[in-house]
Amino acid sequence: ESQLLHEIVEDFDASVNGYRVVVVEGLQPTVNHPDLDSWNQMIFKALSAELIIVSTVSERDGGMKHFMNRIVSVADQYGGPGDSSVLGVIVNKFNAPISQLSGEHLDEAPPKLANPTQFIQKKCHT
């Protein structure tokens, strides 16, 4: 375990090349690997990282109350919502449709606008 963490930190340090911001996606726990959340926490600590939580919110997922509970639960694993290493939240796939087969959010192409410039001007300049 500690050897693997050491290798992760070495690989990370070798690949950052002086960048100020590096995005590292966490591991998703599965039925076969439910312990991946603890690995996320160990990697987070080993890298002295800061956290931006990415999650979805939809009425089909339990709505805003469920979303907030999920965000607080994740933040608690990394020091809590008030911890300085927990920077914020990105809401991903807001109200995206869910597959009836897999239960996963579907990726859909955004609608095409005939005249994007006119649309933006209309929305930004009242």
Side-chain angles (χ1 to χ4, degrees), residues 97 106-114:
L106 298 173
D107 290 323
E108 289 190 314
K112 302 279 186 205
L113 297 173

Side-chain angles (χ1 to χ4, degrees), residues 52-85:
I52 298 175
I53 302 166
V54 178
S55 189
T56 60
V57 61
S58 169
E59 289 304 318
R60 295 174 293 264
D61 290 340
M64 189 57 82
K65 183 176 181 181
H66 182 70
F67 170 76
M68 293 301 295
N69 289 338
R70 194 167 59 241
I71 296 303
V72 170
S73 175
V74 171
D76 283 344
Q77 297 173 37
Y78 298 91
D83 192 279
S84 63
S85 64

Side-chain angles (χ1 to χ4, degrees), residues 6-68:
H6 181 72
E7 289 176 29
I8 289 170
V9 171
E10 279 184 346
D11 289 347
F12 178 83
D13 288 342
S15 64
V16 296
N17 295 324
Y19 293 110
R20 291 181 57 211
V21 176
V22 176
V23 177
V24 178
E25 183 177 359
L27 304 167
Q28 287 294 325
T30 65
V31 173
N32 295 329
H33 301 284
D35 60 334
L36 291 180
D37 268 340
S38 62
W39 273 100
N40 285 334
Q41 294 165 16
M42 288 187 289
I43 294 167
F44 173 82
K45 287 178 184 173
L47 296 177
S48 299
E50 295 174 314
L51 178 71
I52 298 175
I53 302 166
V54 178
S55 189
T56 60
V57 61
S58 169
E59 289 304 318
R60 295 174 293 264
D61 290 340
M64 189 57 82
K65 183 176 181 181
H66 182 70
F67 170 76
M68 293 301 295

